[in-house]
């Protein structure tokens, strides 16, 4: 019998974020009927959202006058249950408690919508508002739920004790993510924690010898122009390479708060003719760039900002590895789960422009090393970061009999 799953997101199918949800829906909808509902719908409806007969989208605002009457009836006829919901919203932080409590009116409204739909399971992305929403629905309906945790939501640590206690499973997207959890949570709920990478589509085989369409030595870096991406260190590395006589070019794809600062740095170093800030590109355009044959090396100069603010496993890095571009990255966050130094790529310490320059120079002068890295990198992403296989494992976890029947 086909399972029915309420799939909770932060904003998807609205806005630019949560693009990783598309492939999950595509895989999960093959074996289950899905109701997809964002907790905070914001932004423009995604044109590339997954649409098929097994997916229904609910667009319910966080606040609406429609929620008032059901909330009042619930308060009158189920005062003890309402008190229980409120108590299960309390966190050590007042602001987190408030963020949790404001979900209750919408939660009760959704309860009334689903109570006759025979929902088998609730699945929530993020250990923040969506999982709190799932917890509250579980308290009202006893429908089991599971959670995917990412990175910043692990640092936020909102109401973890109760979420981990009641959830059937918590899926984390890297092994590094586990270390961000409080030690007490790791120890107490280790049997509930699963590590399943997000991954990428593995459909086009790499070419050991990419046919170069550009006579120049050209590097690529993809990422929002924000502090954690460490672009300034890569720009300084390009300057160092020029000082050594390597007139390399660099394309930066992305936009963000540091765009003006980065452009000024390029001008100050007199690299305007060598470094191009290409701005924002959608995923299809990025794919075209990666497969264009223009690039000798891909660089990910990310930095650790402290207090858990660092990279996860950048999708663009996986994608570069999948199309046969040798990669250099910094040893921050979860990147070492993807890049094994001198095996699937080169790892250098973060915030070190000279180390970046030396790694780039090494790949430019050692063709055998580049070839080895390309071959091993493709094997790595094909096995550990294969999106379809990983999403199938997630789907099995969500729709398994033991999970759905509690």
């Amino acid at each position: 019998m086909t399972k029915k799953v309420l799939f909770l997101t932060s904003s998807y199918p609205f806005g630019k974020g949560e693009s990783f949800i598309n492939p999950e829906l595509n895989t999960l909808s093959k074996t289950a009927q899905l109701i997809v509902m964002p907790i905070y719908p914001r932004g423009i409806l995604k044109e590339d959202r997954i649409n098929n007969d097994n997916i229904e989208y609910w667009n319910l605002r966080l606040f609406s006058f429609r929620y008032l009457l059901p909330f009042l009836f619930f308060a009158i006829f189920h005062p003890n249950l309402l008190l229980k919901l409120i108590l299960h919203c309390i966190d050590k932080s007042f602001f987190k408690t408030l963020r949790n409590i404001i979900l209750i009116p919408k939660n009760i409204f959704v309860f009334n919508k689903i109570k006759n739909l025979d929902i088998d399971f609730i699945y929530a992305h993020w250990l923040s508002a969506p999982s709190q929403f799932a917890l509250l629905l579980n308290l009202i309906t006893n429908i089991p739920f599971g959670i995917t945790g990412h990175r910043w939501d692990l640092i936020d640590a909102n109401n973890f004790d109760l979420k981990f206690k009641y959830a059937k499973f918590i899926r984390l997207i890297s092994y590094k993510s586990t270390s961000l959890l409080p030690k007490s949570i790791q120890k107490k709920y280790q049997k509930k924690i699963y590590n399943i990478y997000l991954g990428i589509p593995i459909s086009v085989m790499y070419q050991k010898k990419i046919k170069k369409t550009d006579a120049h030595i050209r590097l690529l870096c993809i990422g929002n122009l924000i502090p954690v991406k460490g672009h300034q260190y890569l720009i300084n590395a390009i300057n160092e390479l020029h000082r050594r006589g390597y007139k390399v070019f660099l394309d930066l794809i992305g936009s963000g708060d540091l765009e003006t600062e980065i452009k000024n740095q390029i001008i100050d170093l007199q690299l305007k003719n060598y470094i191009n800030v290409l701005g924002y590109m959608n995923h299809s355009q990025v794919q075209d760039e990666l497969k264009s044959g223009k690039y000798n090396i891909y660089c990910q100069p990310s930095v650790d900002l402290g207090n858990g603010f660092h990279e996860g496993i950048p999708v663009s890095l996986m994608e570069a590895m999948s199309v046969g571009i040798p990669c250099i990255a910094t040893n921050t966050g979860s990147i070492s789960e993807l890049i094994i130094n001198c095996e699937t790529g080169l790892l250098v310490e973060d915030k070190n422009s000279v180390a970046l320059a030396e790694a780039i120079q090494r790949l430019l002068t050692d063709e055998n090393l580049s070839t080895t890295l390309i071959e091993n990198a493709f094997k790595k992403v094909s096995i550990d970061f294969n999106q379809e296989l990983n999403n199938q494992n997630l789907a099995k976890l969500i729709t398994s009999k033991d999970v759905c029947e509690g």
Side-chain angles (χ1 to χ4, degrees):
M1 183 177 177
T2 302
K3 304 293 185 182
K4 292 183 180 179
V5 177
L6 178 62
F7 193 116
L8 301 178
T9 71
S10 176
S11 186
Y12 181 97
F14 297 90
K16 292 182 179 180
E18 298 180 295
S19 58
F20 52 83
I21 288 178
N22 262 356
E24 282 190 11
L25 293 179
N26 189 49
T27 300
L28 189 57
S29 64
K30 295 175 183 176
T31 56
Q33 292 182 330
L34 308 177
I35 297 173
V36 181
M37 189 189 76
I39 304 304
Y40 304 113
R42 55 198 183 276
I44 299 172
L45 185 65
K46 291 181 183 291
E47 293 183 0
D48 64 345
R49 67 191 181 280
I50 300 297
N51 281 306
N52 62 50
D53 292 339
N54 277 344
I55 299 178
E56 180 181 353
Y57 290 101
W58 286 3
N59 179 14
L60 300 173
R61 296 178 180 178
L62 179 59
F63 302 109
S64 172
F65 286 113
R66 290 192 295 167
Y67 307 159
L68 182 58
L69 192 58
F71 175 80
L72 292 175
F73 272 101
F74 192 89
I76 292 169
F77 292 104
H78 305 285
N80 292 336
L81 186 51
L82 178 59
L83 178 61
K84 184 178 181 180
L85 295 182
I86 294 172
L87 292 175
H88 281 72
C89 287
I90 296 176
D91 186 86
K92 295 177 182 178
S93 162
F94 170 77
F95 293 103
K96 291 175 187 175
T97 299
L98 185 61
R99 277 161 43 193
N100 295 336
I101 288 175
I102 63 175
L103 299 174
I104 292 177
K106 179 176 178 177
N107 199 273
I108 292 171
F109 184 84
V110 171
F111 156 67
N112 284 300
K113 282 179 69 70
I114 69 171
K115 62 184 178 182
N116 296 318
L117 296 181
D118 297 321
I119 300 293
D120 296 291
F121 195 76
I122 302 168
Y123 173 57
H125 259 287
W126 308 100
L127 271 158
S128 50
S131 57
Q132 180 66 30
F133 200 93
L135 168 63
L136 296 176
L137 276 180
N138 169 262
L139 294 172
I140 301 173
T141 65
N142 289 319
I143 299 172
F145 71 100
I147 306 166
T148 282
H150 294 258
R151 188 174 70 258
W152 71 263
D153 49 332
L154 301 180
I155 301 167
D156 190 48
N158 181 358
N159 209 9
F160 273 12
D161 287 330
L162 291 175
K163 290 175 182 178
F164 277 74
K165 176 182 177 179
Y166 285 95
K168 288 297 178 182
F169 69 82
I170 298 89
R171 174 269 193 115
L172 301 179
I173 61 172
S174 73
Y175 288 90
K176 175 75 172 182
S177 298
T178 307
S179 68
L180 297 176
L181 296 171
K183 296 296 183 184
S184 59
I185 293 288
Q186 293 181 45
K187 183 177 180 180
K188 188 174 182 179
Y189 298 108
Q190 59 180 329
K191 291 184 178 179
K192 288 187 176 186
I193 298 172
Y194 295 80
N195 294 100
I196 303 176
Y197 293 120
L198 291 175
I200 59 171
I202 306 296
S203 57
V204 180
M205 289 292 289
Y206 72 91
Q207 297 174 335
K208 292 183 183 179
K209 299 285 186 181
I210 295 178
K211 184 178 180 181
K212 284 284 291 173
T213 60
D214 193 322
H216 297 110
I217 297 171
R218 191 172 293 276
L219 282 62
L220 177 64
C221 177
I222 301 169
N224 293 328
L225 306 182
I226 55 177
V228 76
K229 296 296 183 179
H231 291 95
Q232 70 269 35
Y233 298 100
L234 180 56
I235 294 168
N236 284 334
I238 298 300
N239 187 54
E240 172 64 18
L241 286 164
H242 279 233
R243 191 186 65 81
R244 298 181 184 190
Y246 293 91
K247 299 298 183 182
V248 298
F249 290 76
L250 170 65
D251 288 347
L252 302 176
I253 295 177
S255 60
D257 294 340
L258 296 183
E259 184 167 345
T260 300
E261 182 177 324
I262 286 170
K263 287 181 176 178
N264 288 337
Q265 181 186 4
I266 293 168
I267 293 170
D268 291 343
L269 293 174
Q270 299 180 348
L271 293 173
K272 191 174 181 181
N273 293 329
Y274 293 91
I275 300 179
N276 302 308
V277 180
L278 302 179
Y280 169 79
M281 292 187 184
N282 62 37
H283 188 251
S284 177
Q285 292 169 321
V286 168
Q287 288 290 300
D288 289 342
E289 286 295 309
L290 285 168
K291 297 174 184 178
S292 67
K294 289 191 289 188
Y295 299 105
N296 301 76
I297 297 170
Y298 182 88
C299 291
Q300 193 78 44
S302 309
V303 298
D304 191 329
L305 298 177
N307 297 318
F309 291 98
H310 52 66
E311 286 279 20
I313 304 178
V315 170
S316 56
L317 186 56
M318 300 181 217
E319 291 176 334
M321 293 169 69
S322 75
V323 298
I325 304 175
C327 295
I328 299 168
T330 48
N331 191 9
T332 61
S334 302
I335 289 176
S336 61
E337 295 179 36
L338 176 65
I339 298 286
I340 302 170
N341 192 34
C342 296
E343 184 176 328
T344 61
L346 296 184
L347 274 182
V348 302
E349 66 179 5
D350 70 329
K351 304 175 185 177
N352 190 329
S353 298
V354 172
L356 274 172
E358 289 176 350
I360 293 167
Q361 182 177 337
R362 186 177 177 188
L363 286 186
L364 293 177
T365 57
D366 191 339
E367 187 174 348
N368 290 334
L369 176 61
S370 293
T371 300
T372 299
L373 296 182
I374 288 171
E375 293 174 351
N376 291 338
F378 183 79
K379 292 175 184 176
K380 179 70 173 176
V381 294
S382 296
I383 296 171
D384 293 343
F385 296 88
N386 187 313
Q387 187 180 80
E388 182 62 24
L389 293 179
N390 291 354
N391 284 342
Q392 287 175 11
N393 290 333
L394 176 63
K396 289 175 184 177
L397 194 59
I398 292 173
T399 60
S400 70
K401 183 178 180 180
D402 291 341
V403 166
C404 287
E405 292 184 359

